[in-house]
Amino acid sequence: MDILDKLESGQRLDFDDGVKLYDLDLFTLARFADKRRKELYGKKTFFNINRHINPTNICKDICKFCAFSANRKNPNPYTLSHDEVLSIVEDASKRGIKEVHIVSAHNDKVGLEWYMDMFRKIKERFPHIHIKALTAAEVNFLAKEYGLSFEQMIDMMIESGVDSMPGGGAEIFDEEVRDYICKGKVSSDEWLQIHRLWHHKGRKSNATMLFGHVENRAHRIDHMLRLRALQDETGGFNCFIPLIYQKENNYLNVKNFVTGQEYLKTIAIARLILDNIPHIKAYWATSTLSLALVAQEFGADDLDGTIEREAIQSAAGAPSRYGVALDEFVALIKDSGFVPVERDSLYNELREW
Ligand code: V47
């Protein structure tokens, strides 16, 4: 069947269809992706008021794309104390944050309890704040470092107050590309298994895809299809987040950014292929705010949040170090013709701004 007929009839798309979608022109893709988005959410665009915290950049792993971890190109190792983390949360809570997003490097010096105690203390002092913390890459690192099974790690996270898992560490699932860009880190199967176990506990998580480096379009489709298969099984993913690779201060040596057109195609294709993941997030920290606003017309229904501080992508050149002011964010969404809807971390609607 012709790909356009398949899109018209709403049939599930397979790998070959996914690759063919990239050959369609941008506006044909937009027409189908926007239709899907509108059926689900109309003109609503979701965001949350959140604070990103990256408590340590000391890392045992070496990913070629990473500019955040302390290394030869970024020789500024740091580890925040729990008091520093708590005072960040306290300060941010005065501005009404509903979520802390906590992602660190793989620090083998501080001990497992440093991580878990941090979550316990935040939950104890700020029980109303949702803790989204520990990527599957961090879970894998901590499990192996301390001789625990993934399930033991997950039980410990839940006991310590972690509410949901961020989508980081997925990168690109294709094993050959993965070996080249982040050898030794969590494998694709391990990443998926950790999320599977997390979902089996009744918890939600996100899924990212780092693209625009050495992968090709087929690798991206393969990545999305592995996520779709797990989602068929568990239903535990809230959203999919394509992250545009940022090229400064790292060891990957990729000279050019993915184009705006390729980003918008990828957002639209994600909306069409991932028929079972409810939300597609245009993560403005890597796309810029302007392109994230345009992505709303191409199937994206979520713009992450105000972020406040961000160290991972900004270390590699992204303009996200200081987040975005809430009033500016809301005005930009409105001016682009969409309805800003503040959500909690589990996508319950809190307020239409
Ligand atoms: O997996 C590292 C990425 C991720 C670069 O769940 C880079 O809502 C671009 O987990 N260029 C971690 N990206 C961030 C993460 C995340 C981010 C936003 C939203 C959510 C969510 C989760 O940061 C890593 C990696 O793919 N990253 N270096 C870089 N040079």
Side-chain angles (χ1 to χ4, degrees):
M1 195 188 230
D2 180 63
I3 182 74
L4 290 175
D5 292 334
K6 262 191 155 176
L7 286 169
E8 289 289 359
S9 65
Q11 273 190 50
R12 191 163 240 208
L13 304 168
D14 61 22
F15 177 80
D16 291 338
D17 297 328
V19 176
K20 278 188 211 148
L21 285 178
Y22 270 109
D23 293 329
L24 292 180
D25 72 90
L26 187 57
F27 296 106
T28 304
L29 275 175
R31 182 158 63 83
F32 288 105
D34 187 50
K35 182 168 171 282
R36 242 357 110 80
R37 178 218 204 276
K38 284 209 186 97
E39 282 161 6
L40 292 165
Y41 312 112
K43 283 287 198 180
K44 287 179 181 172
T45 288
F46 301 101
F47 73 97
N48 72 357
I49 306 181
N50 61 352
R51 167 78 195 211
H52 282 214
I53 306 176
N54 305 115
T56 178
N57 69 348
I58 296 172
C59 200
K60 208 180 165 187
D61 283 304
I62 302 162
C63 299
K64 287 198 178 106
F65 55 78
C66 184
F68 166 62
S69 71
N71 57 44
R72 269 182 295 132
K73 287 201 180 181
N74 170 27
N76 296 302
Y78 72 80
T79 300
L80 300 181
S81 68
H82 287 172
D83 283 346
E84 283 171 312
V85 172
L86 286 169
S87 75
I88 291 170
V89 182
E90 171 145 37
D91 175 55
S93 74
K94 291 179 194 143
R95 286 182 295 280
I97 60 151
K98 309 284 189 308
E99 170 192 287
V100 280
H101 163 119
I102 302 181
V103 173
S104 290
H106 305 165
N107 189 328
D108 58 349
K109 309 281 190 296
V110 287
L112 180 60
E113 279 309 302
W114 177 83
Y115 286 86
M116 297 302 150
D117 268 351
M118 173 167 59
F119 306 135
R120 281 189 205 109
K121 287 175 184 168
I122 295 173
K123 208 35 143 194
E124 207 174 281
R125 288 259 304 268
F126 308 96
H128 59 288
I129 293 183
H130 181 105
I131 303 180
K132 180 173 70 169
L134 291 181
T135 67
E138 293 173 274
V139 174
N140 174 68
F141 157 72
L142 291 171
K144 298 210 169 127
E145 192 72 14
Y146 298 102
L148 299 171
S149 67
F150 292 154
E151 186 151 18
Q152 285 171 316
M153 262 305 296
I154 282 170
D155 286 340
M156 197 178 290
M157 286 160 67
I158 291 173
E159 178 272 319
S160 307
V162 175
D163 296 296
S164 67
M165 275 178 64
E171 323 312 359
I172 279 282
F173 289 144
D174 176 84
E175 279 71 13
E176 218 174 297
V177 177
R178 200 172 182 83
D179 238 33
Y180 180 70
I181 64 173
C182 56
K183 198 176 174 61
K185 192 157 109 167
V186 63
S187 73
S188 306
D189 285 344
E190 287 166 335
W191 191 98
L192 291 163
Q193 176 62 3
I194 290 165
H195 282 264
R196 178 181 287 109
L197 292 170
W198 182 253
H199 297 166
H200 282 166
K201 300 280 176 186
R203 300 293 173 130
K204 295 288 184 181
S205 66
N206 295 335
T208 57
M209 173 178 78
L210 181 69
F211 76 112
H213 42 86
V214 299
E215 91 297 345
N216 62 33
R217 289 169 165 182
H219 295 134
R220 295 178 209 152
I221 302 297
D222 166 64
H223 188 96
M224 292 182 210
L225 289 177
R226 294 198 209 189
L227 291 172
R228 189 175 77 181
L230 180 55
Q231 181 75 342
D232 275 345
E233 204 184 305
T234 67
F237 288 120
N238 268 337
C239 88
F240 176 64
I241 313 158
L243 300 170
I244 298 181
Y245 165 69
Q246 308 294 304
K247 58 191 173 51
E248 305 299 326
N249 308 318
N250 63 33
Y251 294 93
L252 204 45
N253 207 18
V254 170
K255 299 264 184 298
N256 297 313
F257 274 126
V258 72
T259 62
Q261 181 168 159
E262 193 72 3
Y263 177 64
L264 295 174
K265 281 192 170 185
T266 304
I267 289 278
I269 290 169
R271 168 61 74 200
L272 295 168
I273 293 259
L274 295 173
D275 51 14
N276 56 1
I277 298 188
H279 300 282
I280 304 296
K281 184 185 284 189
Y283 183 54
W284 64 264
T286 64
S287 66
T288 73
L289 265 168
S290 310
L291 195 55
L293 293 168
V294 179
Q296 296 173 109
E297 313 266 2
F298 290 77
D301 66 287
D302 184 31
L303 293 190
D304 197 86
T306 44
I307 294 179
E308 292 205 349
R309 287 282 186 285
E310 192 284 312
I312 298 180
Q313 277 83 21
S314 57
S320 49
R321 187 172 299 281
Y322 299 109
V324 58
L326 177 60
D327 51 355
E328 185 190 344
F329 200 41
V330 165
L332 285 169
I333 297 171
K334 277 191 185 161
D335 289 348
S336 63
F338 287 82
V339 179
V341 176
E342 184 189 343
R343 60 164 174 85
D344 68 12
S345 305
L346 302 175
Y347 288 84
N348 297 302
E349 295 186 20
L350 300 179
R351 175 177 169 192
E352 199 171 293
W353 282 70

